[in-house]
Amino acid sequence: MIKVENLCKSFRTEDVETIALNNVSFTVEDGEFVAIMGPSGCGKSTLLNILGLLDNPTSGKYFLGNHEVANLKEKERTDVRKGEIGFVFQSFNLIDELNVEENIELPLTYLNIPKAERKAKVQAIMKRMAISHRAKHFPHQLSGGQQQRVAIARAVVFSPKLILADEPTGNLDSKNGAEVMHLLTELNHEGTTIVMVTHNEHDAKIAHRTIRLFDGQIVEEGNQ
Ligand code: ADP
Ligand code: ADP
């Protein structure tokens, strides 16, 4: 699913160069659930941004499926991202002005899926995420747990092969966090590949494998 080779990313601000990723190489197989851990500033977000085609590496290769995607043009990057990758964020990132069903429908609209099919998919995923009773609510009217269930619904409504999750339980209490991890585990069992950044050792244990970063390099990679 994912193969990165000698990924490097540096940021230059004025005269200071920060090396955020330094020769990072790993693969993620189809259907794997991988956790990425490491202290603040070690490069986790930078790595997830590159995997999610939100940013380009300074050098190195990135194969998603069988396609080299490290240096695509903006439009191609956006198409691959919106067609193949579902994102789940710590802060949910729902659109405040759209209600629950409109938020979930967005990725389907981007993919030009016909209206009747969009409605059916949104209804089905809301039911699955136990959020149907809040279809007309706006994000600020929902609890954190409910917002994250909506965000997961939006991430998976178009059946992406890959989910990238950035601290998906970071803003949730333990009960809602456990529920989110349960949903991600179910999606993984159905064949979705998941790469998740987390600070939470308990959540990392639910993944198959942990990649640990320190100062932009992989320091440990192992099966649970
Ligand atoms: P983490 O997610 O593990 O906390 P990051 O990937 O956010 O780490 O950051 C890795 C390093 O790159 C840090 O030293 C950070 O300050 C630096 N960095 C990240 N993004 C930028 C940026 N846009 N400009 C300059 N430096 C950045
Ligand atoms: P859950 O445990 O299902 O995540 P909570 O116990 O946090 O939900 O919230 C109980 C109910 O209160 C929820 O169904 C939610 O719709 C409602 N609620 C929570 N926060 C708000 C809010 N800020 N404004 C309006 N309703 C809210």
Side-chain angles (χ1 to χ4, degrees):
M1 168 67 52
I2 288 174
K3 181 173 187 181
V4 296
E5 287 175 358
N6 303 113
L7 223 48
C8 293
K9 178 72 181 182
S10 49
F11 295 101
R12 180 171 282 285
T13 33
E14 304 190 345
D15 283 340
V16 185
E17 190 185 31
T18 306
I19 298 176
L21 294 177
N22 186 359
N23 262 314
V24 168
S25 303
F26 62 87
T27 57
V28 176
E29 303 296 334
D30 278 356
E32 254 197 306
F33 189 165
V34 173
I36 297 174
M37 300 193 80
S40 187
C42 70
K44 303 183 297 296
S45 302
T46 303
L47 178 58
L48 213 64
N49 286 344
I50 292 172
L51 294 180
L53 300 175
L54 297 163
D55 203 355
N56 281 331
T58 308
S59 63
K61 294 202 163 114
Y62 174 16
F63 298 91
L64 179 62
N66 290 318
H67 302 287
E68 156 67 291
V69 294
N71 292 296
L72 292 179
K73 296 203 178 65
E74 185 64 34
K75 166 78 171 98
E76 295 169 313
R77 265 204 303 181
T78 306
D79 284 347
V80 175
R81 182 168 70 240
K82 298 203 169 183
E84 299 185 22
I85 306 174
F87 290 89
V88 179
F89 302 93
Q90 176 173 8
S91 48
F92 321 130
N93 290 18
L94 298 172
I95 305 215
D96 295 336
E97 294 74 23
L98 299 182
N99 69 27
V100 164
E101 58 186 12
E102 290 164 345
N103 264 285
I104 298 171
E105 191 176 351
L106 273 182
L108 301 174
T109 308
Y110 184 86
L111 294 171
N112 292 320
I113 293 179
K115 186 163 182 178
E117 195 181 329
R118 292 203 306 264
K119 298 287 171 208
K121 282 184 189 290
V122 170
Q123 293 304 320
I125 197 74
M126 283 197 303
K127 197 168 173 200
R128 163 132 197 223
M129 298 294 155
I131 202 76
S132 305
H133 60 307
R134 298 285 180 251
K136 304 291 180 193
H137 282 55
F138 288 86
H140 72 275
Q141 297 172 311
L142 304 175
S143 71
Q146 290 172 337
Q147 287 186 62
Q148 195 61 304
R149 295 209 300 277
V150 174
I152 293 174
R154 183 184 57 182
V156 303
V157 70
F158 62 103
S159 305
K161 293 198 197 74
L162 176 64
I163 293 178
L164 298 178
D166 193 355
E167 302 250 15
T169 68
N171 278 330
L172 301 177
D173 61 26
S174 60
K175 172 178 157 280
N176 284 301
E179 190 175 323
V180 160
M181 288 308 298
H182 176 70
L183 287 168
L184 292 176
T185 303
E186 265 185 12
L187 293 164
N188 176 247
H189 286 164
E190 290 162 19
T192 311
T193 307
I194 303 181
V195 178
M196 170 182 75
V197 165
T198 184
H199 277 112
N200 186 316
E201 293 282 352
H202 180 74
D203 290 354
K205 286 205 177 73
I206 292 171
H208 303 143
R209 182 157 66 94
T210 299
I211 294 174
R212 283 179 203 272
L213 289 175
F214 190 77
D215 285 352
Q217 292 185 299
I218 293 182
V219 290
E220 193 186 325
E221 203 180 345
N223 296 319
Q224 301 289 344

